Amino acid sequence: MPKKQETENPYAEWTNSLGYLMRTAFRSMSRALENRTSDHGVTASQWHFLRVLWMEDGISQRELSERVRMREPTTVVALKRLEKSGLVLRKQSPDDGRKINVYLSPKAKRLKTKLMPLVEEVNELATEGLNAEEKAELRRLLQKVNANLAAEDIYPMLPAKKR
Amino acid sequence: MPKKQETENPYAEWTNSLGYLMRTAFRSMSRALENRTSDHGVTASQWHFLRVLWMEDGISQRELSERVRMREPTTVVALKRLEKSGLVLRKQSPDDGRKINVYLSPKAKRLKTKLMPLVEEVNELATEGLNAEEKAELRRLLQKVNANLAAEDIYPMLPAKKR
DNA sequence: TCAATTTCATTAGCTAGCTATGTAAATTAA
DNA sequence: TTAATTTACATAGCTAGCTAATGAAATTGA
């Protein structure tokens, strides 16, 4: 164990823990994002669902859950709110009566061009002072962490084969 | 912009976003942690508060909020639950009638030796396959992100001067 | 010295996650 | 071809975050 910093900074030990760093980084990013998107009536959580739908409009709720890596009840509740604010429509699948497909409203599609720059802004703020290699390295390392934890996680890592 | 991977993986675009990676990494770690600590009646959220108190027993609720970087109402509610499960005691400060100091119970102090290895296990699982330099780099980059976002965040970065 | 301001904790009420459980449609198997 | 199983969604009830507003003690300042 290197003990170099500890005398300078009494908090170094636990502010250096991966869990602490993840938690604070995630919450700070969420807050920064929501500060910007809330003017358009979109929360940080909703943003994650919308981003997937902008890529794959019309997928089922189950598929959507897998994409955002949230459990089904979380998705159900999130979609109810998105539906209430007129951003998505839910239609029963004609092929399979169990499935409900989720579609973006025109309003939600228009929002994409407004929201994307805001998110870009947050990403740039978050990675300010990092060069291109460092930014790529951060992503790579986080993906590795995700892959490592996927073993005991809910869904297989994407791109997912149907299990 | 390198476009190498995009043709291989249709999800590469948004699964590469910093917000997505942070969110999934944080939630996966929380779940992995809670899977292990729940046997001892401790949630992932409570863990963060306990860890600070193991370092600085007897600090005020406000100070505790700053350390874990959560808002005061979040801390109040978390402490109520910790108090109810017999892990902390809250005593009004004799010096300042507004302050409430938070103390660990003997039970909570004993828990430290049981919980620390579990958390260590999660950290190792999360960073499996990364060498020492990569682990250090991940921490360094996350700290940089935290520092960048601190500007529009709630509390000044630690170690904090009293503001 | 006492009125105004600041600080610390709290409450109320909201969104967002989770697990456990239920229900109906589709699929599998007897 | 009907009974059992699986799949997809929903509901209930919980913890954990947040903002806004309230209350009470301490501090400031006229």
Side-chain angles (χ1 to χ4, degrees):
Chain A
M1 292 286 122
K3 53 194 74 168
K4 205 181 51 170
Q5 294 252 36
E6 285 172 18
T7 49
E8 301 168 14
N9 179 355
Y11 309 115
E13 188 178 321
W14 57 262
T15 57
N16 222 3
S17 122
L18 198 55
Y20 175 85
L21 293 170
M22 292 281 210
R23 176 169 143 116
T24 54
F26 164 70
R27 290 227 49 78
S28 297
M29 276 203 80
S30 286
R31 283 192 281 247
L33 181 58
E34 201 153 318
N35 284 343
R36 287 163 177 77
T37 57
S38 64
D39 296 341
H40 301 88
V42 172
T43 66
S45 169
Q46 293 177 332
W47 157 257
H48 292 280
F49 289 93
L50 289 177
R51 181 170 49 188
V52 172
L53 291 170
W54 284 329
M55 295 277 300
E56 299 182 278
D57 200 14
I59 61 178
S60 72
Q61 295 191 185
R62 155 76 70 164
E63 288 171 316
L64 184 54
S65 298
E66 293 186 10
R67 302 292 191 269
V68 296
R69 304 190 82 72
M70 291 292 135
R71 309 217 109 116
E72 284 87 345
T74 302
T75 303
V76 168
V77 176
L79 287 177
K80 268 191 191 159
R81 295 205 57 235
L82 283 167
E83 192 173 35
K84 190 174 278 184
S85 43
L87 293 175
V88 307
L89 298 95
R90 302 185 308 148
K91 275 192 277 196
Q92 192 172 35
S93 165
D95 307 328
D96 186 333
R98 295 169 301 180
K99 292 191 182 178
I100 295 194
N101 294 327
V102 184
Y103 297 91
L104 290 168
S105 73
K107 180 180 166 192
K109 287 177 187 170
R110 282 195 301 274
L111 266 182
K112 182 178 182 179
T113 59
K114 291 190 181 173
L115 295 187
M116 290 299 278
L118 300 177
V119 178
E120 201 41 52
E121 187 184 321
V122 172
N123 281 347
E124 272 166 28
L125 172 62
T127 57
E128 209 175 292
L130 300 183
N131 61 37
E133 286 75 32
E134 289 171 318
K135 289 180 193 174
E137 183 70 354
L138 176 57
R139 284 183 169 77
R140 188 184 72 82
L141 292 169
L142 287 174
Q143 272 169 341
K144 178 67 175 166
V145 167
N146 277 323
N148 283 341
L149 294 171
E152 62 180 271
D153 205 358
I154 31 178
Y155 303 117
M157 286 300 286
L158 293 172
K161 292 143 193 61
K162 298 284 171 294
R163 22 170 208 173
Chain B
M1 294 285 124
K3 54 194 71 166
K4 205 181 49 167
Q5 295 253 37
E6 285 172 18
T7 47
E8 301 168 15
N9 179 353
Y11 308 115
E13 188 177 321
W14 58 261
T15 58
N16 222 359
S17 121
L18 200 55
Y20 175 84
L21 292 171
M22 291 280 213
R23 176 169 144 114
T24 54
F26 164 71
R27 289 227 51 77
S28 296
M29 277 203 79
S30 287
R31 283 191 282 246
L33 182 58
E34 201 155 316
N35 284 343
R36 288 162 178 78
T37 58
S38 63
D39 295 341
H40 300 89
V42 172
T43 66
S45 169
Q46 292 177 333
W47 157 257
H48 292 280
F49 289 93
L50 289 177
R51 181 170 48 188
V52 172
L53 291 169
W54 285 327
M55 294 277 300
E56 300 182 278
D57 199 15
I59 60 178
S60 72
Q61 295 192 184
R62 154 75 70 164
E63 288 170 318
L64 183 55
S65 299
E66 293 186 10
R67 302 292 191 270
V68 295
R69 302 190 82 73
M70 291 292 135
R71 307 259 179 195
E72 284 87 346
T74 302
T75 303
V76 168
V77 175
L79 287 177
K80 268 190 192 160
R81 294 204 59 236
L82 283 167
E83 193 172 34
K84 189 174 280 185
S85 42
L87 293 175
V88 306
L89 298 95
R90 302 185 310 145
K91 276 191 275 195
Q92 192 170 36
S93 165
D95 307 329
D96 187 333
R98 295 168 301 179
K99 293 190 181 177
I100 294 194
N101 294 328
V102 183
Y103 298 91
L104 290 169
S105 72
K107 180 179 165 190
K109 287 178 186 167
R110 280 194 301 273
L111 266 181
K112 182 177 183 181
T113 59
K114 291 190 181 175
L115 295 186
M116 291 298 278
L118 301 177
V119 178
E120 201 41 53
E121 187 184 321
V122 172
N123 281 348
E124 273 166 27
L125 172 63
T127 57
E128 208 174 291
L130 300 183
N131 62 37
E133 288 74 32
E134 288 171 319
K135 289 181 193 174
E137 183 70 355
L138 176 57
R139 285 185 169 75
R140 187 185 72 81
L141 292 169
L142 286 174
Q143 271 168 342
K144 177 66 175 166
V145 166
N146 276 325
N148 283 342
L149 293 170
E152 61 180 273
D153 205 356
I154 31 177
Y155 303 117
M157 285 299 287
L158 292 173
K161 291 143 193 61
K162 299 284 170 295
R163 20 168 210 178

